[in-house]
Amino acid sequence: MKKIHQLGLRIGQLPAGSRDSIADVEGVEVGHTTVQTERTSIGLSVVMPYPRSVGERALFAGRWSLDGGGAASGLGVVEDFGTLSSPIAFAPAPVFGRVYEALIHQGISRDSGLSTDAGWPPIVIGVDDGAWNDARRVYQSVQERDVDRAIDDASEHVAEGNAGIGQALRAFGLRGGVGTASRLVDGQCVGVFVAVNGGLPDDLRIGGRTVSTAGTVPDGPQEFAAVVATDAALLPFQLGALAQRAALGAGRCGLWNAVTREAQVWAFSTAAAQDDAQHAALAQVATTSDNVLYGLFAAAVEAMEAAVLSALLEAEPLTTGKQPLQALAAAALQQAGEGR
């Protein structure tokens, strides 16, 4: 059971999916791999937007970014055509290009023509893990085969905390990590996967209460990156709006603050997906009405906030002085209840 559930910590009013993860959106999986060296702990994470058994599939997509959002590939097709077909890889910044190359090889194995419905262009999100890791050592350690390992690891059981790219992240003066959560609204699901790599000490909010996290980890980047998946039928401009609203969830827990350097949230819909190469024209997708859309926005905000807190609670070690974050969260939850 996730620690956020063990604490009885409830974020928002909407119900979570059965896994409380991005994998509650049917067909979506997440894989991780870790590269251990003598003085470096490096990881990669990959969000698979549809099963690997599917040869060709294009999904509507949108993106929100803060100050450009940091390193990312595949923007041209997403911004011009509003679609994606590639796995979404979270990679340490020094090996951004190598991960891109590995995804090209993956795409060629599916379609030698590198079509936009069979893995082109590769989508890589660069994450700065320099709070602990030396860039030269990261560059020397990660190989293309590590990307293949992360893809092979992909499943509906999503590890959190220091899994994958969460190995060497810093947040709120503590060790950061990766987290996931989902929310259900009107029979539809919104799931979030986030890399938590920012937040100032003493800025963390749990249950609406500020929690002191004056830790001892080194200063690091002020950034975050996330992927939102939904089975609701949304067009690209609606998915861009969904990504934007999800970012508000990062603000609610203090991850997005006045000194956040860069941030990006990608969103995609599985509603247009078909099980064969002759999939229905994306232009024929029935779109979601505005009335339902605002419910999905609320789901994205709650799922993001819950995913950030879940990342922190699952990461190890999580201590401020002698008191673990789990105890701080329980105290904050109690205070929030008393303040109602």
Side-chain angles (χ1 to χ4, degrees):
M1 180 185 292
K2 296 172 67 167
K3 291 178 182 176
I4 195 170
H5 297 158
Q6 292 173 347
L7 289 170
L9 188 58
R10 179 180 175 83
I11 303 299
Q13 303 301 315
L14 296 171
S18 60
R19 300 180 184 89
D20 195 11
S21 87
I22 194 171
D24 286 320
V25 178
E26 186 176 358
V28 178
E29 298 178 334
V30 176
H32 304 292
T33 192
T34 301
V35 182
Q36 294 283 2
T37 68
E38 182 179 353
R39 290 178 293 172
T40 308
S41 186
I42 310 162
L44 303 168
S45 297
V46 179
V47 177
M48 304 294 290
Y50 52 82
R52 286 163 288 173
S53 59
V54 177
E56 297 182 3
R57 180 172 293 178
L59 305 179
F60 276 157
R63 178 178 179 265
W64 169 88
S65 68
L66 173 69
D67 296 337
S73 64
L75 292 177
V77 171
V78 170
E79 292 176 349
D80 292 345
F81 299 101
T83 65
L84 63 77
S85 65
S86 167
I88 303 172
F90 288 72
V95 291
F96 183 97
R98 192 166 298 152
V99 174
Y100 185 90
E101 288 281 347
L103 290 182
I104 287 180
H105 292 165
Q106 288 275 339
I108 289 174
S109 69
R110 294 164 57 189
D111 180 351
S112 60
L114 288 176
S115 64
T116 55
D117 59 0
W120 177 261
I123 296 176
V124 183
I125 297 173
V127 179
D128 186 349
D129 64 351
W132 277 289
N133 286 339
D134 175 73
R136 183 184 297 274
R137 192 173 295 275
V138 172
Y139 181 77
Q140 293 171 340
S141 301
V142 177
Q143 306 299 321
E144 290 185 18
R145 63 176 177 269
D146 296 314
V147 181
D148 298 335
R149 287 169 50 201
I151 291 174
D152 291 341
D153 179 69
S155 76
E156 297 173 345
H157 305 288
V158 184
E160 299 180 83
N162 304 128
I165 193 64
Q167 281 285 327
L169 304 185
R170 183 213 62 84
F172 301 102
L174 305 168
R175 193 176 182 186
V178 294
T180 188
S182 67
R183 291 295 183 268
L184 305 176
V185 58
D186 296 324
Q188 297 168 313
C189 182
V190 177
V192 169
F193 176 84
V194 59
V196 182
N197 198 34
L200 299 172
D202 298 330
D203 266 8
L204 178 64
R205 292 191 296 277
I206 300 176
R209 296 280 179 163
T210 300
V211 176
S212 176
T213 59
T216 59
V217 304
D219 290 337
Q222 291 292 325
E223 65 174 15
F224 64 91
V227 172
V228 180
T230 183
D231 53 15
L234 302 182
L235 291 171
F237 76 92
Q238 294 174 314
L239 287 161
L242 185 70
Q244 180 187 57
R245 297 321 198 278
L248 296 176
R252 282 174 56 167
C253 56
L255 179 61
W256 180 10
N257 55 54
V259 297
T260 300
R261 186 182 68 193
E262 53 195 30
Q264 55 184 312
V265 182
W266 294 64
F268 64 84
S269 168
T270 63
Q274 301 294 323
D275 289 332
D276 56 63
Q278 303 301 317
H279 54 271
L282 292 175
Q284 297 177 4
V285 175
T287 58
T288 298
S289 70
D290 286 345
N291 289 337
V292 175
L293 189 60
Y294 285 106
L296 297 173
F297 288 167
V301 173
E302 290 188 10
M304 176 68 89
E305 183 180 6
V308 170
L309 296 179
S310 188
L312 296 174
L313 289 167
E314 296 294 338
E316 297 291 346
L318 281 177
T319 59
T320 61
K322 297 181 180 179
Q323 191 174 24
L325 182 59
Q326 286 88 340
L328 294 173
L333 180 63
Q334 182 179 2
Q335 291 174 357
E338 293 171 351
R340 294 190 183 100

